[in-house]
Amino acid sequence: MAAAADDANPQGERVVDATNRGIDDLDLGVWIAFTGATCFARTALQHPFVLACARRQACEDLARVSSWALLRDFRRAHGGSWRVMYRGFPALAFGMVTSEIVYMWAYEWLRNPSGPSPLAQIAPSVDGAPSSHFLDASAGFAADASTTIGQVPFFFIANRQMCAGLGSAR
């Protein structure tokens, strides 16, 4: 990223912060590992409630049951094991982690005005530089579209596993 005058400290060295950093400023290995780990942890923490929502949507009788009651009864019905709460988790976690890493990489690459991003070539110019608003919005849309295609199959597999034995999932 080109350094602007206000990006420098009094010694003239470039200061990197959240408003001016680009993909070139990142240690990609650490960044990808951190992105994957945080997505995995978030998915693991949310999964019991994703399971409850999926089961409520698949069975009309469960629509009026609270998520806590549904999870409690589901666990009891399967021998009290917490493992059952993570039915469908491997497929969902793989899809989520992969799509999150691809999304974040695509977003950072596409919004980089000094790199080979095709968006930088078509972005409207503001003060001689590509518009950061255009790059950020366009990069977000393009990155989301690119990851949705890959994530949806894993989401369907996970939903099918989470809803096994209910309604049309039999």
Side-chain angles (χ1 to χ4, degrees), residues 10-146:
Q11 290 79 29
E13 299 167 340
R14 181 167 177 248
V15 176
V16 178
D17 62 21
T19 62
N20 69 358
R21 66 130 184 92
I23 197 166
D24 300 331
D25 300 312
L26 301 172
D27 178 339
L28 287 179
V30 171
W31 182 63
I32 288 170
F34 183 74
T35 300
T38 55
C39 181
F40 184 85
R42 180 182 68 234
T43 304
L45 290 171
Q46 293 173 340
H47 191 74
F49 292 101
V50 172
L51 173 74
C53 289
R55 294 186 73 80
R56 289 171 79 185
Q57 291 171 354
C59 183
E60 201 172 304
D61 297 339
L62 299 175
R64 291 172 195 77
V65 178
S66 75
S67 294
W68 287 110
L70 189 149
L71 291 172
R72 182 191 64 230
D73 295 344
F74 184 66
R75 197 174 119 231
R76 285 180 185 161
H78 291 84
S81 170
W82 281 96
R83 184 175 177 196
V84 73
M85 304 300 263
Y86 286 88
R87 181 183 282 183
F89 177 73
L92 187 62
F94 181 80
M96 293 296 289
V97 169
T98 304
S99 70
E100 183 88 1
I101 290 170
V102 170
Y103 174 88
M104 295 301 287
W105 180 85
Y107 175 76
E108 290 295 334
W109 182 75
L110 288 169
R111 71 181 280 274
N112 187 358
S114 63
S117 168
L119 295 178
Q121 309 305 316
I122 63 170
S125 181
V126 176
D127 297 328
S131 166
S132 64
H133 298 298
F134 174 85
L135 288 175
D136 290 347
S138 300
F141 290 135
D144 192 44
S146 69

